[in-house]
Amino acid sequence: MTYQPAAKRYENMEYRRCGNSGLKLSAFSLGLWHNFGLNSDFENSRNLIKTAFDNGITHFDLANNYGPPPGSAEECMGKILKMDFKNHRDEMIISSKAGYTMWDGPYGDWGSKKYLVSSLDQSLKRMDLEYVDIFYHHRPDPETPLEETMAALNLIVQQGKALYVGISNYRPAEAEKAIQLLKEMGTPCLIHQPKYSMFERWVEDGLLDLLGKEQVGCIPFSPLAQGLLTDKYLDGIPADSRVATSGQFLKADHITPKRLEKIVALNKIAKERGQKLAQMALAWILRDERITSVLIGSSKPEQILDSIKAIENTAFSTEELNKINLILK
């Protein structure tokens, strides 16, 4: 049976303008970092994309190395697009990135023009797309001149392989230089994708101010600190959690007694707000007008539905913010 998206999918989602551009993104974006690899259940992956789209999420975020194995998340997305979204491509924002190790040898990593152009060509083939909406440089390269990396992003837009470009994991000084270079080339930096959560706040030390001043969008990843900012670990480590099943990005020793004490205290404030801890953690990020969208990951469709309820209350009183800051100290 042909997939028919929900007719009222745009009614309850908020759309925020991305920096100084004409592009708006859904307040929540679906990240395909996990749960779309070769070993993931394809029908579940398919349902995740449909659930997101049916509820107004228009932005789907990938990278060349997402999987595992690298490339398989893009292949999975390509199949889903072909099967279910042939008639809806123009309603979707699809992004990809390059900057981490993708293939062996000197041309499969970092930020050379050779790597970025070749990588995007491969990504487009895997997804069977003519272009991506946003293409990011995934991380700064300490050896390649930044001028070359930004010139590659500019070239990719001129070639029609991406509509917009962005950067990810750039610290304020690097980001400022990258933004200026792209501006001079006539291809503005649309957006920055940093790691940001209640437990990871480095972006508050200059980056958010820079993005606000330069009118560049911001889309944080790992807003729930790999699941720590949920009620999942309040009573120990569940058998189906990321810690128990892989332990690659979140390990058991990250859940220290001190960290758990903070999670419990934050959960109490969330309950007082009528939210789950995860919803409050997402709302806490979205309260800042400099944030365009927040990336959520999901292994079950229900988790997407749960997360997007955070949009119902993104206002925080001064008292609530003071309490949260005291807990996070």
Side-chain angles (χ1 to χ4, degrees), residues 93-130:
I93 301 296
I94 296 170
S95 61
S96 194
K97 314 177 198 74
Y100 283 92
T101 304
M102 187 58 195
W103 64 86
D104 292 337
Y107 316 121
D109 201 349
W110 293 108
S112 70
K113 185 179 288 188
K114 169 68 175 174
Y115 172 49
L116 296 183
V117 172
S118 299
S119 179
L120 180 54
D121 284 345
Q122 292 179 16
S123 293
L124 293 174
K125 284 177 187 173
R126 281 191 287 268
M127 292 188 281
D128 194 19
L129 292 175
E130 293 180 1

Side-chain angles (χ1 to χ4, degrees), residues 4-25:
Q4 293 293 331
K8 298 182 178 180
R9 58 190 175 276
Y10 297 118
E11 289 187 6
N12 297 314
M13 179 56 65
E14 179 186 342
Y15 298 91
R16 299 183 172 195
R17 189 166 298 282
C18 195
N20 191 35
S21 76
L23 186 69
K24 290 182 179 180
L25 296 183

Side-chain angles (χ1 to χ4, degrees), residues 13 19 50 103 118 128 147 187 203 206 219 221 248 252 261 272 290 321 328:
M13 179 56 65
K50 288 180 184 178
W103 64 86
S118 299
D128 194 19
E147 289 80 359
T187 300
V203 302
I219 178 167
F221 70 91
Q248 185 179 359
E261 190 180 310
E272 290 168 357
R290 295 168 295 188
L321 291 174
L328 295 174

Side-chain angles (χ1 to χ4, degrees), residues 203-263:
V203 302
E204 296 171 9
D205 295 329
L207 184 65
L208 283 176
D209 289 339
L210 170 70
L211 299 181
K213 183 185 77 169
E214 296 292 341
Q215 295 185 292
V216 172
C218 183
I219 178 167
F221 70 91
S222 294
L224 302 180
Q226 294 292 311
L228 282 177
L229 287 164
T230 69
D231 52 18
K232 189 181 289 185
Y233 299 105
L234 291 172
D235 300 309
I237 299 174
D240 65 345
S241 68
R242 194 170 289 168
V243 172
T245 55
S246 74
Q248 185 179 359
F249 298 101
L250 180 63
K251 303 180 189 302
D253 59 10
H254 292 169
I255 309 173
T256 61
K258 190 174 180 182
R259 178 61 60 86
L260 189 56
E261 190 180 310
K262 292 182 178 184
I263 294 168

Side-chain angles (χ1 to χ4, degrees), residues 234-301:
L234 291 172
D235 300 309
I237 299 174
D240 65 345
S241 68
R242 194 170 289 168
V243 172
T245 55
S246 74
Q248 185 179 359
F249 298 101
L250 180 63
K251 303 180 189 302
D253 59 10
H254 292 169
I255 309 173
T256 61
K258 190 174 180 182
R259 178 61 60 86
L260 189 56
E261 190 180 310
K262 292 182 178 184
I263 294 168
V264 169
L266 290 169
N267 189 54
K268 184 171 180 250
I269 296 175
K271 281 184 176 179
E272 290 168 357
R273 286 172 52 83
Q275 291 179 315
K276 292 184 177 180
L277 175 54
Q279 291 166 346
M280 183 181 79
L282 294 169
W284 181 84
I285 291 177
L286 284 168
R287 82 189 194 283
D288 193 321
E289 62 183 14
R290 295 168 295 188
I291 301 296
T292 310
S293 181
V294 63
L295 274 165
I296 56 171
S298 178
S299 59
K300 302 170 188 172

Side-chain angles (χ1 to χ4, degrees), residues 13 56 63-64 70 76 151 166 168 277 309:
M13 179 56 65
N64 58 353
C76 176
S168 180
L277 175 54
K309 286 179 184 173

